[in-house]
Amino acid sequence: MKSTEIRPASAAPATAAADGADMEWVAAPAPVDYPDAVAAMEARIAAIRDGTAAERVWLLEHPPLYTAGTSARPADLLDPGRFPVHATGRGGQYTYHGPGQRVAYVMLDLKRRRSDLRAYVCDLEAWIIDALARFGIVGERRAGRVGIWVPTPGGEAKIAAIGVRVRRWVSYHGIAVNLDPDLSHFDGIVPCGIAEHGVTSIAALGHRATMADLDAALRASFETVFDRRTHAPGG
């Protein structure tokens, strides 16, 4: 599926950010192949950088696949033949994407917000935590572990992953929140290089939610977290 010009009927209209710039929300109507998604992001961030396109949050699902971030260790790919494996320029290690997981690719001009990569990752974490709270789920940060974690009867498990890249202060890649994926698909990797903790999902925690519910929560929480970070250049 080619994705560079996707404007599905389910796409929300562009909305004004706090500094007057347009923010475009797009929801892909069908799973998007990973190479097509990367190509679409590359095109969009170039246009954002050139001032010819709005910032975008792109909500989608992928077919089952593994991605290898810039810190991925070969030994952490436990089952190389299980699903396609894509090397990617985002930070992090191996992760899984597939149906039932909401991927949100976030393409922002950080110069209009804060030219601070660490603060940006912190805001992504806060965004996920706030969205999960809308379902009664307490998401938590962990020192030295990227992503969002939740307490479980056996200890704790990861419910959302973060992997970002920034080019000339325009961000891309983003987050992945487990709504109701097949959690056994994570068995082919050591997710994010962490073997001692498992993965979970909103459904596995006993919460009923549709993808539309999760999208609505992500949008409301995004505006709560990121709008307060927006300012004019030099502000």
Side-chain angles (χ1 to χ4, degrees):
M1 170 179 176
K2 293 297 181 183
S3 314
T4 303
E5 297 298 328
I6 284 178
R7 295 301 302 270
S10 59
T15 57
D19 64 354
D22 284 340
M23 167 64 67
E24 184 181 64
W25 286 76
V26 179
V32 180
D33 288 339
Y34 191 77
D36 292 341
V38 173
M41 284 191 286
E42 294 273 2
R44 175 51 66 117
I45 67 167
I48 292 170
R49 192 170 60 240
D50 293 342
T52 59
E55 295 177 309
R56 170 180 281 190
V57 177
W58 188 16
L59 304 170
L60 55 83
E61 295 174 86
H62 285 302
L65 58 90
Y66 298 128
T67 63
T70 55
S71 301
R73 298 173 299 211
D76 288 343
L77 181 58
L78 305 179
D79 189 354
R82 187 167 190 176
F83 298 124
V85 180
H86 298 275
T88 179
R90 63 157 176 81
Q93 301 185 40
Y94 282 106
T95 193
Y96 166 76
H97 294 313
Q101 181 191 71
R102 180 48 98 205
V103 175
Y105 288 134
V106 185
M107 289 153 271
L108 301 181
D109 184 351
L110 297 182
K111 285 185 177 179
R112 288 211 302 246
R113 298 165 186 274
R114 286 194 297 176
S115 300
D116 184 330
L117 183 55
R118 183 172 294 182
Y120 173 59
V121 173
C122 184
D123 286 345
L124 292 176
E125 292 172 337
W127 176 30
I128 298 166
I129 289 169
D130 191 274
L132 291 173
R134 296 169 190 266
F135 300 105
I137 297 171
V138 178
E140 300 173 346
R141 296 178 172 95
R142 290 290 182 266
R145 286 191 249 149
V146 177
I148 298 302
W149 302 78
V150 294
T152 64
E156 59 187 11
K158 192 171 190 175
I159 195 169
I162 297 172
V164 302
R165 188 172 183 180
V166 173
R167 182 174 296 166
R168 291 171 57 185
W169 291 111
V170 179
S171 69
Y172 60 125
H173 297 279
I175 69 170
V177 182
N178 295 334
L179 175 67
D180 190 16
D182 184 336
L183 295 178
S184 72
H185 289 180
F186 287 87
D187 295 344
I189 57 171
V190 178
C192 299
I194 300 170
E196 60 269 29
H197 300 289
V199 292
T200 191
S201 66
I202 292 173
L205 293 173
H207 298 267
R208 291 186 176 181
T210 65
M211 195 66 79
D213 294 332
L214 179 54
D215 288 350
L218 286 169
R219 182 160 187 173
S221 295
F222 185 94
E223 292 170 357
T224 296
V225 172
F226 282 90
D227 278 4
R228 72 170 185 260
R229 298 300 192 194
T230 307
H231 55 72

